[in-house]
Amino acid sequence: MTDRVVPQLYLVSPPRFEPAGFADSVAAALDGGPVACVQLWMPDADDNEVRRAVKAVYKVVQNANTAFLLNGHVKLAAFMECDGVHLDGADPAAIRAAKKMLGDEAIVGVSCGTSRHASMEAGEAGADYVSFGPVFDTATKGLPADPNALDTLEWWAEMMEVPCVAVGGLTPDNIYPVVETRCEFICAVSSVWDHPDGPAAAVGAFHDALSRIEAAK
């Protein structure tokens, strides 16, 4: 059985934002504590809007020695030398194509819902991590919790070497059962960007919660 690990924090942008202002929010979040990755997720934006956002945010993330991933937009990620991409769907051909375009050092992550079959296919196709969820109800995507999410995270963490990410409605107050799955990353969206005391306080709260869980082992 895999030893329990302390998950790292993985931040995803809100779906809509003003680039310059969001760059300041990202800088504040990264000042709040270690963050493994920031993913830019702009489902309703065109390429020009995404390009402007990457220019505004990428340097901030890079200066913090944090990975910067672009959701979808593989060609644009390659052109703008992002650290990798996140794909919303475990199509093996798309995963292999992204790896080929971005290079062996790039990160290609994949959303798998709670499908064990899709996640195994993604891993075999070369995905660098897979994500499972939603663990809890999520207002960001308007989805209810998937009752299979925690079991799938635990199964994957025990059986597979490719890292996994827990997604969906995660806050500092509800992450204990997620940490117990031994997943490597926990994803946060609105719980960071909409925190009443700001993103730095939110990231700090996540790390305080993780420290308390670790101390209680």
Side-chain angles (χ1 to χ4, degrees), residues 67-210:
F68 181 82
L69 303 186
L70 189 57
N71 187 291
H73 298 281
V74 177
K75 291 181 180 179
L76 186 57
F79 177 73
M80 302 197 75
E81 299 182 341
C82 299
D83 295 310
V85 294
H86 182 88
L87 303 178
D88 289 323
D91 177 3
I95 296 167
R96 287 191 288 267
K99 295 291 287 187
K100 183 177 181 180
M101 179 169 290
L102 294 167
D104 292 339
E105 298 302 313
I107 301 166
V108 176
V110 181
S111 294
C112 295
T114 56
S115 170
R116 298 188 181 194
H117 175 72
S119 60
M120 292 176 69
E121 284 196 331
E124 291 170 358
D128 296 288
Y129 70 82
V130 295
S131 68
F132 296 114
V135 178
F136 303 108
D137 294 348
T138 168
T140 301
K141 289 192 173 182
L143 297 173
D146 188 316
N148 298 311
L150 290 173
D151 285 345
T152 306
L153 283 161
E154 186 170 16
W155 162 77
W156 183 272
E158 183 172 347
M159 300 296 294
M160 309 297 179
E161 293 184 2
V162 175
C164 63
V165 183
V167 303
L170 303 180
T171 74
D173 296 327
N174 66 15
I175 59 172
Y176 179 80
V178 179
V179 174
E180 288 294 292
T181 69
R182 302 182 306 280
C183 66
E184 286 85 358
F185 300 92
I186 53 175
C187 175
V189 189
S190 59
S191 58
V192 168
W193 311 120
D194 296 341
H195 193 283
D197 296 322
V203 170
F206 269 104
H207 283 291
D208 287 346
L210 290 168

